[in-house]
Amino acid sequence: MRVEVNGRPFEEEPRPGQCLRTYLRERGWFGVKKGCDAGDCGACTVHVDGEPVHSCLYPAFRADGRAVTTVEGLASPEGELHPVQRRFLEAQGFQCGFCTAGFLMTTAALDEDQLADLPRAFKGNLCRCTGYRAIEDAVRGVRHVEAPAAGESVGRNLPAPAGPRIVTGTAPFTFDLDVPGLLHMKLLRSPHAHARITAVDVSAALRVPGVHAVLTHHDAPARHFSTARHEHPTEDPDDTRVLDDTVRHIGQRVAAVVAESEAAAEEGCRRVEVTYEVLPAVLDPEEAMRPGAPVVHDKDAATARISRPRDNVVGEAHGEIGDVEAGFAEADEVYEGTYRTQRVQHASLETHGAVAWLDEDGRLTVRSSTQTPFLTRRALCALYDLPQDKVRVVAARVGGGFGGKQEMLVEDVVALAVLRLRRPVKLEYTRAEQFHGATTRHPFTIRVKIGARRDGTLTAVRLRVVADTGAYGNHGPAVMFHSVGESMAVYRAPNKKVDAFSVYTHTVPAGAFRGYGLGQVMFAMESALDELARRLGLDPLAFKAMNVIGPGEAMITAGGEEEDLHIASYGLDQCLDIVRRARAQGPDPEAAPVPDGWLVGEGAALAMIATGPPGGHIADARISLLPDGGFDLAVGTAEFGNGTTTVHRQIAAGELATTVDRITVRQSDTDVVGHDTGAFASTGVVVAGKATLRASRALADLLLDLAAAQLRVPRAVCRLAEEAVLHPAGRLPLKELYQAARAVGVTAGADGHFGGTPRSVAFNAQWFRVAVDPGTGEIRILRSVHAADAGQVMNPMQCRGQVEGGVAQALGATLFEDVRVDERGEVETAAFRRYRLPQYADVPRTEVHFMRTADAIGPLGAKSMSESPFNPVAPALANALRDATGVRFTRLPLTRDRVWLALREAGVTDGADEPCMPERTNPA
């Protein structure tokens, strides 16, 4: 076959059945990404003779005699960027960047008519991070990036340092490298929800040409661990083995086949013969807690850290302040309802995966798509009895996380194979494996009861929460505890009670997901408060405003006061003012008219979240002066579109009076700093950023001391400036200062550390105006407004992107995303075309407003803003739907069929201004 790729001829034959994507990647064109395997996401888009195609569906042999262009070939031979690449850079039309090549290739091929209809043009491209506004701005040529003067970077729209490599397809993600001698791993997975493996015959698999090994539970360590990654491992139950002789959900890994090619490994999996003793399974958490239910983990409670193994309760929380029954007796109105939230997939476009090898010193090196390289190293060392200096874990740029990569789902079994075979081994999940072999958001059932006096004063709040953690308890107890924390603490009530349970079932495990349980409980709390206000005849927003916690108040949950959590800045009042102004503005005169017969309503919700987890979250940073007068900044935090790399450079540049281009960042590598807990729990800026701030300030002090000694002048007359230290007699270039320090044996570097405590809180409020078609159940968002209290906003462009992406992801979870599990416990939605993600056409343009606050704890006044925008979205939309229809929806997602059926049942069938039937709660 003859094919021209980016102007270079190739005459290599593809393998039988090979797609163009793998053909190109095998020849080093790593800008072509693997996201879905089915033509659903567009990350693999390339041009064939100028026409965009999804290369994962395009047979490689069809490229014979054709010219193929990948994102690496968009720029001119002289290196001048294509206009589309420039616009994506200037607008920063990306976050993690994994989907960006596909959007660039699609956009570059659009004609004028197609550019005028972007919802149709982008039907074949998905983005999980941005919320699409930044992508639209890039296509339209809107410029956001700035170039501030030295020392003035904080608070400005600085571009991501990886931007040029992202738009040229050269930013290396996990598998964007060639590893000599690489072997491929595929996993055989269980067809049963619960079974004991009584025999495994691997002989036929080992006879497949190219197969090197078949690993089973006989080869795996006997010890148990948790796939969840936390600074304190005791937060999670030890209930998992690398490979187990008991399977507890359909899709659990049973054996690992390692071979010369993926095809050989897949064939080896097909030939492994497993004999199962099928056992009874339980799929519902309420049933799982009943006497006589099948036991998911029959382990010792103390050693495994499982609350009540025989009752399938992995963790539970019970607490009461005051007397809730007396509080309800005092109330003039009491509302009680049961709310349910569903499983949601993280849907990171880069799937889970790792490649590992032994370096020249025999050290195990793991390159992984992980949010927690240091904690993963710790877990591997404990699992395989390896000293810490014999394991290195590196995270390249990560293609989306959202909490799903705060797990060790692949590194353990890849390390097992490498240590056994002494060869490099790669495991990359397929999209289907993401659904049945990774984790989901926890499904919740929340029974909420709230009472208030006629004047709107809350008297009592009671929650009963059941979280389905699935077959394994990774994150189960922690998510449960967090879910009933800030969701209760944000409102004052003298009487509060909680009973919460995290429960095992024989289903796909749940794990960490954006919001970490708060979004589920806030859906119930904010909906219930809205309903209670309506029954009292009060404005729901005014009702909430009079009951929310105020500045300086203690945050009280049903378990008491959060000891290290403080309101170090308060912007919730400003958030609520934004919502009031949005309501007062009325309909947008430029918006499309609402069709006749549709019902219109509006609703709001608020949320509070801690900026970091309880118990400590550790980050180290080091910054050093380089011989050329620039700086080297080392941090442990992984970059996956969260923007921490950009902010760390901004912090350092501000403290060192330089520009960000003078600062090189090394990160997410266990070799570069002492420790970093990881990029989760909204800590990338507030914890790791504080370590960077402390290191930068220490280096600034050191440089001034060195300069004063070199110049023999008082330090007080010296000050840092771009590339020099200024003094009354002139300037001392930093290059000369580096040499002077070296001459006296001084290393011009400094360390910073922060332990993540005390902690502050951030606030968010979301408001929607919606229209609902009672004849079809369709919901159309007329306006979306989000108010965010992020403290000092370090990079407005980037922070706005986090908010917009969080709102978009939450809208998907609110309106249609649902990991469905059948009566056997098998995931039915194991592909993007069966699991609907928000597309460009689904996401409204959200107006984002930042509050004017400065936090007393966060670095330079900053607070977190990566998770929190997600949490108020579902209740705000449900409240708007209630306002429009008179029907209270208590179950997510709010799909068209569910809405239509409920409206039909309630008699809401015409377009009258008022609902046709009395107000009611619908548990559908």
Side-chain angles (χ1 to χ4, degrees):
M1 182 177 87
R2 292 187 176 187
V3 60
E4 182 182 282
V5 181
N6 298 330
R8 291 173 52 188
F10 287 87
E11 295 189 8
E12 301 172 43
E13 291 296 318
R15 296 189 302 276
Q18 186 173 26
C19 69
L20 183 58
R21 183 196 69 207
T22 58
Y23 182 86
L24 293 169
R25 286 186 61 82
E26 287 174 2
R27 283 147 188 83
W29 304 110
F30 294 126
V32 185
K33 300 303 184 197
K34 170 188 173 180
C36 67
D37 309 305
D40 295 330
C41 75
C44 67
T45 303
V46 301
H47 294 173
V48 178
D49 288 342
E51 293 294 321
V53 302
H54 288 179
S55 61
C56 69
L57 295 181
Y58 194 93
F61 77 86
R62 286 185 57 193
D64 188 19
R66 299 177 184 271
V68 175
T69 305
T70 73
V71 67
E72 294 98 329
L74 268 188
S76 71
E78 295 75 30
E80 182 179 352
L81 293 181
H82 187 281
V84 170
Q85 291 172 311
R86 284 202 308 274
R87 292 199 293 268
F88 267 74
L89 264 184
E90 292 169 353
Q92 291 287 281
F94 51 84
Q95 284 182 29
C96 83
F98 198 81
C99 70
T100 305
F103 273 98
L104 286 165
M105 300 307 292
T106 298
T107 304
L110 298 179
D111 59 29
E112 290 301 319
D113 290 339
Q114 292 168 320
L115 285 168
D117 188 3
L118 291 182
R120 180 177 294 275
F122 287 144
K123 281 191 70 174
N125 292 83
L126 292 173
C127 175
R128 192 56 159 168
C129 296
T130 66
Y132 297 104
R133 189 274 315 160
I135 293 171
E136 179 184 354
D137 284 355
V139 174
R140 303 300 185 205
V142 178
R143 181 185 177 92
H144 293 301
V145 300
E146 301 178 81
E152 298 179 1
S153 59
V154 171
R156 306 292 290 275
N157 294 333
L158 273 294
R165 286 175 291 148
I166 287 170
V167 301
T168 55
T170 55
F173 290 81
T174 305
F175 297 114
D176 296 343
L177 78 167
D178 289 314
V179 180
L182 183 66
L183 299 177
H184 299 266
M185 176 183 288
K186 286 292 180 179
L187 298 173
L188 175 67
R189 297 184 178 275
S190 169
H192 304 293
H194 192 200
R196 185 174 295 109
I197 297 172
T198 59
V200 183
D201 186 350
V202 302
S203 57
L206 289 171
R207 289 195 294 269
V208 173
V211 169
H212 286 251
V214 180
L215 305 173
T216 71
H217 64 272
H218 297 295
D219 306 289
R223 60 180 53 128
H224 290 83
F225 62 98
S226 174
T227 64
R229 301 289 95 228
H230 282 114
E231 180 60 37
H232 306 290
T234 53
E235 292 182 21
D236 309 297
D238 286 340
D239 57 9
T240 305
R241 284 186 63 195
V242 176
L243 294 164
D244 207 331
D245 59 354
T246 298
V247 292
R248 297 177 174 87
H249 69 95
I250 293 176
Q252 181 171 328
R253 59 195 190 195
V254 171
V257 179
V258 186
E260 293 286 344
S261 67
E262 289 189 6
E266 288 173 350
E267 180 60 25
C269 285
R270 284 189 284 269
R271 298 197 186 187
V272 175
E273 297 180 9
V274 184
T275 303
Y276 296 97
E277 176 192 351
V278 179
L279 303 171
V282 60
L283 307 181
D284 179 84
E286 292 285 0
E287 293 180 8
M289 289 191 287
R290 292 180 184 139
V295 176
V296 181
H297 288 277
D298 191 5
K299 294 179 171 62
D300 177 71
T303 57
R305 295 188 300 279
I306 298 172
S307 180
R308 288 184 282 132
R310 300 295 302 176
D311 297 320
N312 292 318
V313 176
V314 61
E316 55 193 314
H318 306 282
E320 182 174 10
I321 60 165
D323 184 336
V324 292
E325 292 308 322
F328 289 129
E330 295 173 12
D332 294 308
E333 186 70 48
V334 175
Y335 169 76
E336 188 169 9
T338 300
Y339 292 79
R340 293 177 174 86
T341 66
Q342 80 283 27
R343 290 179 179 85
V344 177
Q345 235 291 321
H346 305 80
S348 308
L349 287 192
E350 182 188 41
T351 61
H352 283 81
V355 57
W357 61 88
L358 298 176
D359 67 14
E360 60 274 10
D361 297 322
R363 182 170 63 157
L364 175 66
T365 301
V366 182
R367 181 181 171 102
S368 171
S369 184
T370 179
Q371 297 173 228
T372 58
F374 289 81
L375 300 187
T376 299
R377 176 181 65 175
R378 177 192 290 171
L380 292 174
C381 289
L383 193 56
Y384 294 111
D385 295 317
L386 297 170
Q388 188 167 291
D389 62 358
K390 288 299 183 181
V391 179
R392 178 189 181 191
V393 177
V394 179
R397 191 171 184 89
V398 177
F402 317 114
K405 293 172 181 175
Q406 192 192 339
E407 305 272 358
M408 186 173 71
L409 298 179
V410 293
E411 299 90 344
D412 57 333
V413 70
V414 171
L416 175 66
V418 171
L419 295 171
R420 174 68 60 88
L421 298 172
R422 320 299 287 183
R423 289 271 303 271
V425 175
K426 169 188 172 183
L427 171 59
E428 182 178 13
Y429 273 14
T430 64
R431 181 54 56 187
E433 286 181 299
Q434 286 294 111
F435 281 95
H436 57 238
T439 61
T440 73
R441 189 184 190 212
H442 284 76
F444 268 59
T445 300
I446 308 108
R447 185 74 181 172
V448 55
K449 185 175 181 179
I450 303 182
R453 297 190 182 96
R454 193 168 290 107
D455 65 0
T457 304
L458 288 177
T459 61
V461 179
R462 185 173 71 198
L463 291 177
R464 182 183 185 272
V465 172
V466 176
D468 184 351
T469 196
Y472 291 90
N474 47 303
H475 294 283
V479 165
M480 176 209 63
F481 280 113
H482 190 238
S483 73
V484 295
E486 294 97 283
S487 59
M488 290 199 79
V490 71
Y491 287 104
R492 296 187 219 94
N495 308 292
K496 297 179 179 180
K497 183 176 182 180
V498 162
D499 292 291
F501 307 88
S502 183
V503 184
Y504 285 124
T505 59
H506 290 107
T507 59
V508 59
F513 190 102
R514 200 174 202 163
Y516 213 66
L518 278 182
Q520 293 94 314
V521 175
M522 290 308 298
F523 169 60
M525 281 284 293
E526 289 292 297
S527 297
L529 286 163
D530 186 275
E531 192 64 33
L532 180 58
R534 293 176 185 275
R535 296 185 179 193
L536 287 166
L538 301 174
D539 172 63
L541 190 64
F543 173 62
K544 292 176 182 179
M546 71 178 292
N547 286 291
V548 293
I549 193 170
E553 294 187 39
M555 281 167 281
I556 308 294
T557 68
E561 183 176 351
E562 295 273 358
E563 291 184 0
D564 76 330
L565 192 58
H566 308 280
I567 300 178
S569 64
Y570 189 82
L572 182 53
D573 52 351
Q574 298 177 50
C575 292
L576 297 179
D577 283 342
I578 291 292
V579 172
R580 292 187 189 98
R581 289 202 293 270
R583 293 198 312 181
Q585 288 171 358
D588 183 353
E590 298 183 4
V594 177
D596 291 341
W598 287 49
L599 307 173
V600 177
E602 60 186 45
L606 59 88
M608 178 176 76
I609 192 170
T611 56
H617 190 105
I618 296 169
D620 292 326
R622 179 167 181 79
I623 189 163
S624 305
L625 180 64
L626 295 172
D628 66 355
F631 299 92
D632 174 82
L633 173 62
V635 294
T637 306
E639 176 63 63
F640 50 97
N642 47 348
T644 54
T645 311
T646 313
V647 170
H648 288 172
R649 292 211 309 175
Q650 289 179 260
I651 291 171
E655 295 301 312
L656 295 165
T658 188
T659 54
V660 292
D661 59 293
R662 302 287 297 166
I663 298 174
T664 301
V665 180
R666 293 179 297 122
Q667 64 190 126
S668 54
D669 180 343
T670 55
D671 273 1
V672 302
V673 293
H675 186 67
D676 189 287
T677 300
F680 63 89
S682 303
T683 56
V685 170
V686 296
V687 175
K690 195 151 186 173
T692 292
L693 176 66
R694 289 176 171 176
S696 300
R697 284 182 174 172
L699 179 59
D701 285 341
L702 176 60
L703 294 179
L704 291 174
D705 287 341
L706 289 171
Q710 176 73 9
L711 298 167
R712 298 182 181 179
V713 298
R715 178 184 148 154
V717 303
C718 299
R719 66 180 180 88
L720 279 170
E722 187 175 10
E723 301 186 47
V725 174
L726 302 185
H727 57 93
R731 62 196 303 272
L732 174 63
L734 292 180
K735 291 187 288 187
E736 294 181 15
L737 186 59
Y738 174 88
Q739 295 299 334
R742 187 176 181 185
V744 296
V746 174
T747 299
D751 297 302
H753 174 86
F754 185 52
T757 185
R759 302 176 294 145
S760 184
V761 292
F763 299 98
N764 295 75
Q766 174 70 44
W767 176 83
F768 288 111
R769 180 177 288 121
V770 304
V772 186
D773 181 0
T776 66
E778 179 183 349
I779 300 172
R780 188 175 299 174
I781 297 174
L782 304 178
R783 191 176 175 201
S784 171
V785 176
H786 193 97
D789 174 23
Q792 166 65 54
V793 179
M794 312 295 274
N795 188 315
M797 168 185 65
Q798 183 173 277
C799 194
R800 186 178 71 171
Q802 286 289 296
V803 173
E804 291 167 339
V807 172
Q809 191 174 46
L811 280 173
T814 302
L815 293 173
F816 36 76
E817 291 186 48
D818 189 0
V819 178
R820 295 193 301 273
V821 175
D822 66 15
E823 66 279 357
R824 297 178 52 250
E826 184 171 9
V827 173
E828 296 180 308
T829 50
F832 281 160
R833 61 187 55 193
R834 301 196 68 188
Y835 179 84
R836 184 183 170 192
L837 289 174
Q839 295 179 302
Y840 181 96
D842 297 316
V843 180
R845 201 172 178 95
T846 293
E847 304 164 32
V848 178
H849 301 266
F850 292 119
M851 305 307 99
R852 295 183 177 276
T853 59
D855 200 70
I857 294 175
L860 303 177
K863 295 198 280 192
S864 64
M865 200 45 57
S866 56
E867 293 183 87
S868 54
F870 188 102
N871 296 330
V873 170
L877 197 90
N879 290 340
L881 187 58
R882 164 68 170 84
D883 189 54
T885 66
V887 177
R888 172 60 61 188
F889 288 82
T890 60
R891 184 175 182 177
L892 297 179
L894 302 172
T895 56
R896 288 178 62 170
D897 56 345
R898 183 170 286 162
V899 171
W900 178 77
L901 286 168
L903 296 184
R904 186 180 68 167
E905 181 184 343
V908 185
T909 57
D910 64 23
D913 290 338
E914 297 296 328
C916 304
M917 293 289 287
E919 297 171 355
R920 58 169 294 163
T921 296
N922 178 37

